[in-house]
Amino acid sequence: MSELSRRDYDVAIIGGGIVGLATAWQFIQSNPRKNVILIEKETTVGSHQTGHNSGVIHAGVYYQPGSLKAQFCKKGAVETKAFCRKYGIDFDVCGKLLVATNAQEVERMHALYQRCQNNDIDIELLDKTELMRREPNVLGEAAIFVRDTGIVDYQKICLKLAELFEHQGGTVCLGSKVIGLEESAKEVTIRTEDRVITAGHLVACSGLMADRITKMLGIKTDFQIIPFRGEYYQLPVEYNSLVNHLIYPIPDPELPFLGVHLTRMIDGSVTVGPNAVQGWKREGYGRFNFSIKDTIQMLVFKGYWKLIAQHWQTVLKETHNSWVKSGYLKEVNKYCEVIGENDLLPYPAGVRAQAVMNDGSLVHDFLFAESARTLHVCNAPSPAATSAFPIGRYIIDKLDELMTTI
């Protein structure tokens, strides 16, 4: 009996979010003779970051030229739209306005405009008059119009990817939480709560649990996942025509968060958000969330305290706005005065898996780690959903390298 025939699978992929699914589907397309399994602890795919975001197809505005984010986002936007056209998934290229409301933001806007040009993004600079003509309910001194930004339901993309992956011969194992990993010279052993799986190679796209998965294998890394809650509100139905585009503030270039924005969702509704609040539970989507394990692991991490020391004013502001709705509303009223406190209706929150280094610095780009037989996506922040297809190919290229060196 050959070594390969004793293994359950050639490749195992942990994580049923959009990055794991895009990787699995593309891998099995190019390797149809390989046995591939995708393992997801929840009972449906796209349950965490993928299913709790704004649904935006980003154009690649914010990212450092030459970075993986910049490269992947632009390619990913084109491929996401093509995938939706091919498989009948609704999306809308409604465009986005980045609105500057004061002199400091105008200065930042011009720097962002230059970055857009460096990244070859299709944009237009609008003065105050043109901004008001296009968006009568939006206030601002100037704006950048990003034509190619769109909206979609990423969970629907996940469901289609899972269907295509299984049709191609892949196995999707839902409701199967990984509790242990072991790597030997010949294979990787994956222990879930109800079974043991062996595979020649492992890819982990585990989002909020990325650091814990690497630790299971003893891979030395110098980061930890810190959860940031992104809290949203939904506007009343009568506000569904409030804006014609997505409306974003000019972001702080020192932070990886885009600020509270107005998003036209693919179902026709309009949401407000998200903010970026320090979380005390990695999968804490409710209003009150606390995990002893998650909190202790965070508090003993020296990078957490260095992060707080560097950004304590932002932490206090975001925490205040989370608990005091009028503070949250103030962020929106900067560019849209017609929204009142009673217009902010409940809407599900999301949790961002943010990798933080030991020195307290936030990881702004995608981050990977590997061992002889495993590859780990350690940081896949926004625009990971938009960028899922090129990220998947990047992972596959790295996986091919691992497979040819053993």
Side-chain angles (χ1 to χ4, degrees):
M1 204 175 192
S2 71
E3 177 185 320
L4 257 183
S5 63
R6 291 197 301 270
R7 297 174 186 153
D8 298 320
Y9 297 93
D10 299 299
V11 175
I13 297 171
I14 298 174
I18 194 167
V19 173
L21 284 161
T23 302
W25 178 59
Q26 291 179 111
F27 180 82
I28 205 167
Q29 279 188 302
S30 56
N31 297 272
R33 296 184 179 181
K34 299 285 188 184
N35 284 328
V36 186
I37 185 171
L38 184 138
I39 305 167
E40 167 56 45
K41 70 177 182 178
E42 307 298 347
T43 56
T44 188
V45 295
S47 295
H48 290 290
Q49 290 184 102
T50 304
H52 290 83
N53 62 33
S54 300
V56 177
I57 304 173
H58 289 282
V61 168
Y62 309 96
Y63 316 119
Q64 182 68 35
S67 66
L68 291 177
K69 273 190 177 183
Q71 296 173 46
F72 291 164
C73 187
K74 191 169 182 183
K75 293 177 183 176
V78 173
E79 293 177 46
T80 298
K81 295 167 190 173
F83 183 88
C84 290
R85 289 189 192 98
K86 183 172 182 178
Y87 294 105
I89 298 171
D90 289 340
F91 72 101
D92 179 17
V93 183
C94 55
K96 172 168 70 175
L97 288 173
L98 290 149
V99 180
T101 60
N102 56 45
Q104 181 187 45
E105 290 182 355
V106 168
E107 185 177 344
R108 288 179 178 173
M109 182 194 73
H110 284 291
L112 198 55
Y113 180 80
Q114 184 59 54
R115 175 165 287 189
C116 289
Q117 291 185 313
N118 293 341
N119 284 330
D120 196 26
I121 307 297
D122 186 8
I123 53 171
E124 181 181 351
L125 201 58
L126 309 182
D127 61 17
K128 188 172 185 176
T129 302
E130 182 60 18
L131 169 61
M132 183 172 289
R133 187 187 72 79
R134 297 194 188 195
E135 291 287 357
N137 294 310
V138 173
L139 304 171
E141 298 301 314
I144 299 172
F145 175 47
V146 187
R147 290 185 178 84
D148 292 334
T149 301
I151 49 176
V152 74
D153 184 337
Y154 282 111
Q155 199 155 33
K156 288 185 178 179
I157 295 178
C158 284
L159 291 168
K160 176 54 69 173
L161 284 169
E163 177 190 322
L164 294 170
F165 173 65
E166 289 186 304
H167 183 73
Q168 194 80 22
T171 300
V172 176
C173 183
L174 299 175
S176 195
K177 181 180 178 180
V178 174
I179 59 174
L181 294 169
E182 183 180 340
E183 181 178 356
S184 70
K186 294 183 178 181
E187 63 189 16
V188 181
T189 301
I190 304 143
R191 299 184 186 279
T192 73
E193 292 176 325
D194 57 359
R195 64 187 291 195
V196 176
I197 300 165
T198 57
H201 288 81
L202 170 73
V203 175
C205 304
S206 43
L208 286 156
M209 304 299 167
D211 53 341
R212 292 179 181 171
I213 294 295
T214 59
K215 283 182 173 63
M216 284 183 186
L217 287 164
I219 298 173
K220 291 185 178 180
T221 59
D222 55 357
F223 79 96
Q224 185 169 304
I225 295 297
I226 303 296
F228 284 88
R229 275 172 55 83
E231 296 169 334
Y232 295 85
Y233 291 99
Q234 188 173 45
L235 296 182
V237 173
E238 55 265 31
Y239 281 144
N240 282 3
S241 299
L242 179 68
V243 291
N244 302 311
H245 309 84
L246 310 184
I247 309 298
Y248 277 61
I250 300 296
D252 183 342
E254 298 301 314
L255 297 172
F257 310 113
L258 302 182
V260 174
H261 44 269
L262 295 176
T263 305
R264 290 177 50 208
M265 306 296 281
I266 196 64
D267 64 3
S269 64
V270 177
T271 61
V272 182
N275 56 3
V277 188
Q278 166 64 65
W280 301 100
K281 184 178 181 181
R282 294 198 183 196
E283 295 172 358
Y285 302 109
R287 183 60 179 162
F288 300 98
N289 302 278
F290 183 78
S291 162
I292 293 175
K293 178 181 179 180
D294 293 350
T295 299
I296 290 175
Q297 186 173 352
M298 185 169 62
L299 294 180
V300 299
F301 175 53
K302 63 182 180 180
Y304 169 75
W305 296 104
K306 292 179 180 180
L307 171 69
I308 297 299
Q310 293 170 29
H311 299 290
W312 64 270
Q313 290 176 307
T314 300
V315 171
L316 288 178
K317 177 184 175 183
E318 293 289 337
T319 302
H320 172 269
N321 290 350
S322 173
W323 289 101
V324 181
K325 191 183 281 190
S326 60
Y328 193 110
L329 181 64
K330 188 177 179 181
E331 297 298 309
V332 185
N333 287 158
K334 279 173 44 177
Y335 55 81
C336 188
E337 287 184 339
V338 301
I339 299 172
E341 193 168 325
N342 292 334
D343 297 322
L344 300 180
L345 307 179
Y347 193 80
V351 181
R352 177 190 181 114
Q354 177 62 54
V356 176
M357 306 303 286
N358 286 336
D359 63 3
S361 60
L362 294 158
V363 179
H364 290 267
D365 209 353
F366 298 109
L367 180 67
F368 299 88
E370 62 184 66
S371 64
R373 288 188 174 272
T374 73
L375 177 65
H376 303 257
V377 182
C378 300
N379 193 60
S382 178
T386 302
S387 309
F389 292 109
I391 294 173
R393 286 196 302 278
Y394 181 86
I395 292 169
I396 291 165
D397 288 344
K398 282 186 163 291
L399 181 60
D400 287 342
E401 290 176 13
L402 291 181
M403 295 175 82
T404 55
T405 56
I406 292 179

